[in-house]
Amino acid sequence: MDTIDRKYRGLEIWDVDDVAPEIRDEATAAALAVLDLEGVSPLQARVAQFTLEAMDDKGVLDRADPSDFGLNMAHLNACREAEGAARRLIERLAPNRAEPYLMLGVAEWALSEWQTHDTDPTKL
């Protein structure tokens, strides 16, 4: 039987492989705290990012209403604030890291549960 690690309710920070695990954990906790304060689940934040990326891929960002594509701006803004909190923590604790970019992600098990059961397992 597989054990699913539900630490941080499925929230992951991507593109930080060069950061020590304990710093990644602190940054993930900081990002989750921001999302919780805003009432946005990790999955809702990631779906907002997916939607923005899809709009960009289709070339409609400049001429379309984001809500027409299902983009929830409150979720996207919370996502950006959470990424900022994680980034600031990493910059403070690992100032010499090579990669300045990071992105919020969601664990594969959470995406699978959402796609299979249409439920958000990352909500409080």
Side-chain angles (χ1 to χ4, degrees):
M1 181 168 122
D2 290 331
T3 302
I4 296 173
D5 180 10
R6 295 183 186 263
K7 191 174 188 177
Y8 308 119
R9 295 195 326 268
L11 179 66
E12 296 178 345
I13 298 180
W14 295 345
D15 301 326
V16 291
D17 294 338
D18 59 338
V19 175
E22 58 274 4
I23 295 173
R24 278 197 310 263
D25 281 350
E26 284 191 54
T28 304
L32 185 59
V34 170
L35 292 178
D36 285 347
L37 186 65
E38 296 295 325
V40 175
S41 75
L43 184 60
Q44 289 170 323
R46 186 62 189 135
V47 167
Q49 282 185 319
F50 280 143
T51 305
L52 182 69
E53 291 164 9
M55 289 180 69
D56 188 37
D57 290 345
K58 292 177 182 173
V60 296
L61 275 178
D62 294 332
R63 59 183 180 0
D65 180 352
S67 63
D68 290 345
F69 287 82
L71 180 60
N72 184 316
M73 290 305 295
H75 293 176
L76 184 63
N77 290 337
C79 180
R80 297 297 180 240
E81 289 176 31
E83 287 174 340
R87 187 177 298 106
R88 286 187 298 277
L89 194 138
I90 290 171
E91 287 172 352
R92 184 170 50 84
L93 298 178
N96 296 323
R97 75 180 288 254
E99 180 63 53
Y101 180 76
L102 63 83
M103 175 181 241
L104 292 187
V106 177
E108 205 53 46
W109 63 262
L111 288 174
S112 178
E113 193 168 321
W114 175 56
Q115 292 168 336
T116 303
H117 303 290
D118 198 29
T119 58
D120 183 349
T122 68
K123 281 188 177 180
L124 276 176

